[in-house]
């Protein structure tokens, strides 16, 4: 069954593994509680999904259509974020998803907007190698040839070149839930997740 939760990346720390005694790097995510707003079904919508709300805010901070959508589905408080979690599930409108949906040791994947790096060259952006630096070479961090001359007499689309780096949706897979703290709505996930501190992330099971 598909399950997921929306949260905020608080930062990274480390915890001791009781079995091995080693330090484990973990990302702390403040996740949920996320009320279930609506449910998509294969019969009515052509796919299975559940829509979750997160980040409670005053009513004046969201639009009237968004507020009406929440009230229509029985969510009294205004929430800034709405996210659909695809897949079959057993949730119904009115329920609330918390960090207790995940168990320690469970594999998860985390999606978020990666940290923007601005305009970067090909070495940093695409891991190109640099040219020789001896004998007066000027080809130190240049990208090199980007195509042939007579044929095809143009540059192919999609060529790896310098440009804006980061600031796009990234999903980090293969992460593991180390611990959960239901009283504080915290998830401890082994490894790094996309985004800056306080960035919104979506945690889903990694099947």
């Amino acid at each position: 069954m598909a399950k997921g939760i929306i949260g905020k990346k608080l930062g990274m720390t480390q915890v001791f593994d009781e079995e091995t005694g080693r330090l484990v790097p973990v990302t702390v995510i403040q996740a949920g509680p996320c009320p279930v707003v609506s449910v998509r079904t294969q019969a009515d919508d052509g796919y299975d999904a559940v829509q979750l709300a997160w980040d409670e805010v005053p009513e004046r901070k969201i639009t009237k259509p968004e507020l009406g959508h929440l009230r229509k589905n029985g969510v009294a408080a205004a929430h800034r974020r709405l996210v659909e979690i695809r897949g079959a599930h057993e949730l119904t409108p009115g329920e609330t998803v918390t960090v207790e949906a995940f168990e320690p040791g469970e594999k998860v994947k985390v999606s978020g907007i990666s940290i923007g790096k601005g305009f970067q060259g090909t070495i940093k952006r695409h891991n190109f190698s640099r040219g020789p630096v001896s004998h007066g070479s000027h080809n130190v961090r240049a990208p090199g040839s980007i195509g042939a001359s007579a044929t095809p007499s143009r540059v192919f689309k999609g060529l790896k070149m310098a440009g804006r780096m980061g600031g796009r949706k990234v999903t980090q897979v293969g992460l593991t839930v180390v611990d959960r703290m239901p009283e504080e709505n915290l998830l401890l996930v082994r490894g790094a997740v996309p985004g800056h501190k306080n960035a919104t992330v979506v945690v889903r099971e990694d099947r």
Side-chain angles (χ1 to χ4, degrees):
M1 304 299 289
K3 58 182 176 181
I5 195 169
I6 316 167
K8 178 173 66 174
K9 174 182 175 180
L10 298 183
M12 293 195 70
T13 184
Q14 53 192 13
V15 296
F16 278 103
D17 188 336
E18 295 180 356
E19 297 181 359
T20 63
R22 295 181 177 179
L23 279 176
V24 178
V26 296
T27 301
V28 183
I29 301 175
Q30 184 179 7
C34 298
V36 176
V37 179
S38 61
V39 172
R40 314 294 188 206
T41 61
Q42 189 73 35
D44 296 335
D45 305 284
Y47 65 99
D48 293 312
V50 59
Q51 188 182 68
L52 303 178
W54 183 75
D55 193 7
E56 187 172 338
V57 293
E59 292 184 1
R60 61 182 171 82
K61 292 199 172 185
I62 65 173
T63 65
K64 288 185 178 180
E66 291 172 329
L67 186 60
H69 175 67
L70 292 171
R71 288 178 174 174
K72 177 183 176 182
N73 291 280
V75 180
H79 291 75
R80 195 192 304 271
R81 309 284 183 182
L82 291 178
V83 175
E84 275 193 2
I85 307 295
R86 290 282 187 117
H89 56 86
E90 297 178 349
L91 296 171
T92 58
E95 292 188 63
T96 300
V97 179
T98 65
V99 294
E100 293 181 297
F102 295 91
E103 298 289 341
E106 188 173 357
K107 293 291 184 181
V108 295
K109 55 186 177 182
V110 180
S111 300
I113 304 298
S114 62
I115 297 176
K117 304 292 184 180
F119 191 98
Q120 299 297 333
T122 52
I123 289 182
K124 180 168 183 175
R125 191 182 187 208
H126 299 297
N127 199 28
F128 279 20
S129 297
R130 62 166 177 80
V133 296
S134 60
H135 298 291
S137 172
H138 294 172
N139 181 25
V140 179
R141 295 179 69 91
S145 174
I146 59 173
S149 56
T151 304
S153 299
R154 64 186 178 88
V155 178
F156 287 115
K157 290 182 179 180
L159 198 67
K160 292 181 178 179
M161 301 178 72
R164 179 176 290 183
M165 180 180 178
R168 60 188 180 89
K169 184 178 179 181
V170 178
T171 300
Q172 181 65 49
V173 300
L175 302 175
T176 306
V177 176
V178 175
D179 198 4
R180 62 183 185 183
M181 302 177 183
E183 303 82 10
E184 302 173 358
N185 299 316
L186 296 181
L187 269 182
L188 301 185
V189 178
R190 177 168 186 162
V193 305
H196 54 77
K197 290 183 180 179
N198 297 321
T200 300
V201 295
V202 179
V203 183
R204 292 169 291 167
E205 64 175 342
D206 191 4
R207 293 178 293 174

